[in-house]
Amino acid sequence: MKKHITIIGAPMDLGQSRRGVDMGPSAIRYAGVVERLEMLDYEIQDKGDIQIGRPGKDEETSAGSNLKYLQAVSNASQKLAEAVDEVVKKGSFPLVFGGDHSIAIGTLAGISKHYQNLGVIWYDAHGDLNTGETSPSGNIHGMPLAVSLGIGHPDLITIAGYTEKIKPENIVIIGARSLDDGEKILIREKGIKVYTMHEIDRLGMTKVMEDAIAYLKNKTDGVHLSLDLDGLDPSDAPGVGTPVLGGISYRESHLAMEILEESKMITSAEFVEVNPILDEKNKTAEVAVALMGSLFGEKLL
Ligand SMILES: NC(=[NH2+])NCCC[C@H](N)C(=O)O
Ligand SMILES: [Mn+2]
Ligand SMILES: [Mn+2]
């Protein structure tokens, strides 16, 4: 029987300050994702985009909070959680396209209720572990991992009706090279496993991925891959809103995806932060699609 993938687009750009990342799902589709994955003997259903809307500037702030577009992000997260929940229920693999990384709040809320111990691989230059108190920007895309731990604004941590989506010991961050002070404190306090660029340089991607897989293997019953394209170096993935120099290369990222494919551990995935306005001829969307190819078993020979 052919394995089944369901695509959901989340055209969200309210979790950060640079418009255009809401066009990410279109750019990824334009880069040929459906055709590419169909070649790999997958049956693909593209459910289209969830409706997010375009709130006015006056909705950017809300009383008693420095979080930008809190209500709009919270509403969209709820919608995405419901859409993803449906996909998991019918036994298909949820593949979500962002949109900025705030969409992970909804993705994880929809997926995690189906698992006792969902593991998460957070492939990112950033920790996305901020709260309203620690955030330098008020941008919610810097918060989804904290929110998924149950730490953050009540309107975000209660999406889908439960608070603790993931446990700190089931998280692995890969590619970190920009962490705010509050995020560092949280990482230490919760004992979150982080492979920074230092470890990737020092150990090599093969060892990092093997260690990450071994770390998650026996304690999780599913693993979600949340891949922020800014985890890659800006020279390979220029179309992102918060680029950080010194990132993971295109080749290392392919290797990482291939090792994950071999592990047969990944049960859901999202590719986020593709911003076509900042991109060079859709390069970053094409990189995202190429990485999905490897994640789902594409081989040269
Ligand atoms: N998903 C992302 N690209 N996050 C970037 C976050 C940047 C910074 N740490 C902040 O909180 O604003
Ligand atoms: Mn991120
Ligand atoms: Mn990032």
Side-chain angles (χ1 to χ4, degrees), residues 8-216:
I8 300 173
M12 159 64 74
D13 74 348
L14 302 168
Q16 44 78 65
S17 325
R18 307 188 66 173
R19 306 283 72 89
V21 65
D22 56 323
M23 291 183 277
S26 306
I28 293 170
R29 289 192 184 96
Y30 186 79
V33 66
V34 173
E35 299 75 7
R36 186 101 175 225
L37 299 182
E38 275 173 345
M39 299 255 289
L40 300 172
D41 234 32
Y42 276 93
E43 206 172 296
I44 315 291
Q45 186 190 10
D46 185 350
K47 296 257 284 176
D49 293 347
I50 59 158
Q51 296 300 310
I52 291 182
R54 169 72 43 214
K57 188 79 180 156
D58 54 329
E59 287 175 54
E60 182 169 334
T61 51
S62 49
S65 162
N66 62 332
L67 276 62
K68 293 178 186 152
Y69 292 109
L70 173 61
Q71 228 35 67
V73 172
S74 163
N75 294 342
S77 303
Q78 186 62 43
K79 258 192 207 170
L80 180 57
E82 285 162 21
V84 169
D85 179 35
E86 287 301 312
V87 177
V88 183
K89 270 190 197 139
K90 61 168 209 228
S92 182
F93 183 109
L95 178 60
V96 181
F97 300 157
D100 70 58
H101 218 161
S102 70
I103 66 160
I105 296 170
T107 311
L108 285 168
I111 289 170
S112 192
K113 59 204 251 192
H114 299 279
Y115 295 87
Q116 289 295 320
N117 272 292
L118 183 70
V120 174
I121 295 180
W122 199 268
Y123 201 90
D124 203 326
H126 308 95
D128 294 345
L129 283 162
N130 274 310
T131 63
E133 289 69 45
T134 64
S135 169
S137 58
N139 291 333
I140 297 178
H141 81 154
M143 309 180 187
L145 198 48
V147 167
S148 301
L149 286 166
I151 304 166
H153 197 284
D155 292 354
L156 298 177
I157 63 173
T158 54
I159 301 293
Y162 68 114
T163 308
E164 194 194 62
K165 274 72 177 185
I166 40 182
K167 299 177 185 143
E169 64 269 27
N170 294 339
I171 297 173
V172 177
I173 299 174
I174 296 175
R177 54 194 182 277
S178 171
L179 297 169
D180 298 314
D181 291 344
E183 297 184 296
K184 292 180 188 169
I185 293 171
L186 199 59
I187 285 168
R188 286 201 194 100
E189 213 178 82
K190 300 284 177 189
I192 296 172
K193 186 85 166 166
V194 184
Y195 294 95
T196 68
M197 289 314 298
H198 174 83
E199 280 79 37
I200 296 173
D201 289 343
R202 190 146 193 160
L203 304 172
M205 190 52 106
T206 302
K207 176 81 173 126
V208 165
M209 292 313 294
E210 285 171 357
D211 284 1
I213 288 165
Y215 178 76
L216 294 175

